[in-house]
Amino acid sequence: GFELGFAMASPNALVCWEAQFGDFHNTAQCIIDQFISSGQAKWVRHNGIVLLLPHGMEGMGPEHSSARPERFLQMSNDDSDAYPFSEQFEVSQLYECNWIVVNCSTPANYFHVLRRQILLPFRKPLIILTPKSLLRHPEAKSSFDEMVSGTTFQRVIPENGLAVHAPHEVKRVIFCTGKVYYDLVKERKNQDLEKQVAITRLEQISPFPFDLLKEELEKYPGADLVWCQEEHKNSGYYDYVKPRFRTIVNHTRPIWYVGREPAAAAATGNKNTHLVSLRRFLDTAFNLEAFEGKT
């Protein structure tokens, strides 16, 4: 509540509220529901508060594993069934949304989304899901060249490896967000599928980057489309992204789910069970025959 008021009184300040664990926003739910999500719609008051919510399945207990991104996405006001058309697509989406939800997989994009937040000519709340383990992950790194003049926040980070050079030979495109990307890249290399499987990252989940994902989908016309997440099926992002992907392709191609099974708790709290479920959905993600014959 203090940070919300400070951000409203000082719109040119970058005001961040960081939870020790993402689930700590539970006790702020009334403020999130009544003021942050709907403040502009109810009182025409802009607010640029940033919520930094550590989130990620690390093999730890359920209470400290999930920032419950599905709750923020459920309260996002963009229409899943309408493809938005605008000349200034990115800025128009940001202006019309009630808040922004991102999950950055690189230091450069994390830097850029904070920079964009303060450079925008208007204010919107920004929800950042921040994986804890990426602070120490050797592959989660950026060069300073990605943070100099002329570089910007990437709402989508497309495949840039071997699959790009022969897109018609790609058999599967995996879309994901956050730290599961690094698990997928490692497994793809282990199975020597870098030419057959493309992996695209959604860095900004809401407002949904319809325009950039449309370009990605058109690159790989003959590929299976898969959404992969480390969260359980009834949480995370799947219920939000599925209808929007279907809108982009005009319901002509399915988007398959790969991830953990539905569960009441966000995580098991048992390291071995966690690793077994991770192994199971990675096997499905790279089994190119997993969805044959299904509609």
Side-chain angles (χ1 to χ4, degrees):
F2 173 81
E3 285 82 0
L4 180 71
F6 197 103
M8 190 170 292
S10 305
N12 291 323
L14 182 64
V15 180
C16 302
W17 178 74
E18 183 173 21
Q20 184 179 1
F21 296 99
D23 68 294
F24 282 15
H25 75 76
N26 283 347
T27 53
Q29 200 66 52
C30 59
I31 292 174
I32 292 168
D33 291 352
Q34 299 296 327
F35 299 99
I36 300 179
S37 169
S38 56
Q40 182 180 344
K42 291 194 287 190
W43 302 300
V44 200
R45 297 298 300 269
H46 284 227
N47 196 297
I49 190 171
V50 180
L51 304 188
L52 304 174
L53 305 178
H55 169 83
M57 307 294 109
E58 316 279 5
M60 305 301 287
E63 266 52 70
H64 295 336
S65 293
S66 179
R68 295 292 186 180
E70 65 276 5
R71 296 179 182 173
F72 294 99
L73 295 174
Q74 184 188 35
M75 289 190 285
S76 296
N77 68 353
D78 62 331
D79 189 347
S80 63
D81 301 318
Y83 188 97
F85 293 94
S86 173
E87 291 183 4
Q88 294 182 315
F89 195 98
E90 180 179 0
V91 174
S92 294
Q93 270 198 315
L94 293 175
Y95 184 75
E96 292 169 5
C97 74
N98 61 317
W99 57 18
I100 304 160
V101 181
V102 303
N103 192 345
C104 300
S105 62
T106 69
N109 236 18
Y110 184 59
F111 160 76
H112 280 301
V113 79
L114 291 175
R115 183 173 179 270
R116 183 185 73 172
Q117 180 72 356
I118 205 66
L119 288 176
L120 284 172
F122 48 83
R123 293 290 172 258
K124 298 286 179 173
L126 173 63
I127 316 301
I128 305 182
L129 305 166
T130 57
K132 299 180 285 292
S133 62
L134 292 194
L135 292 171
R136 303 176 300 276
H137 200 293
E139 298 303 318
K141 58 188 177 182
S142 300
S143 71
F144 284 111
D145 292 339
E146 298 172 73
M147 292 177 267
V148 297
S149 298
T151 58
T152 59
F153 175 69
Q154 293 181 272
R155 291 175 292 148
V156 171
I157 301 180
E159 171 65 48
N160 60 3
L162 296 175
V164 174
H165 303 299
H168 288 276
E169 296 178 14
V170 171
K171 297 179 180 179
R172 176 165 297 172
V173 184
I174 299 175
F175 296 93
C176 65
T177 188
K179 77 179 186 68
V180 74
Y181 166 77
Y182 294 98
D183 295 320
L184 290 167
V185 167
K186 181 180 178 181
E187 184 65 21
R188 180 177 64 174
K189 185 176 182 180
N190 289 343
Q191 296 198 26
D192 195 24
L193 290 172
E194 290 167 304
K195 291 183 179 180
Q196 292 100 320
V197 179
I199 302 174
T200 294
R201 285 171 274 179
L202 274 71
E203 301 284 289
Q204 176 179 295
I205 305 133
S206 181
F208 196 68
F210 284 93
D211 54 334
L212 299 180
L213 290 173
K214 188 173 187 292
E215 293 176 10
E216 285 301 294
L217 292 168
E218 290 173 349
K219 280 183 194 174
Y220 310 102
D224 286 341
L225 307 179
V226 166
W227 175 262
C228 183
Q229 63 180 37
E230 60 176 358
E231 296 83 2
H232 293 282
K233 190 175 184 180
N234 59 323
S235 56
Y237 322 90
Y238 181 62
D239 287 339
Y240 177 85
V241 303
K242 180 182 178 180
R244 288 163 176 81
F245 272 110
R246 298 281 280 158
T247 294
I248 294 174
V249 299
N250 199 23
H251 297 270
T252 57
R253 299 166 72 182
I255 176 86
W256 302 106
Y257 170 79
V258 172
R260 291 184 166 91
E261 296 296 317
T268 65
N270 181 288
K271 187 74 172 182
N272 184 61
T273 305
H274 167 81
L275 293 174
V276 168
S277 61
L278 174 63
R279 178 73 265 154
R280 186 180 296 124
F281 80 71
L282 287 177
D283 286 343
T284 304
F286 293 99
N287 176 3
L288 300 182
E289 300 176 354
F291 305 110
E292 281 190 4
K294 295 184 179 181
T295 57

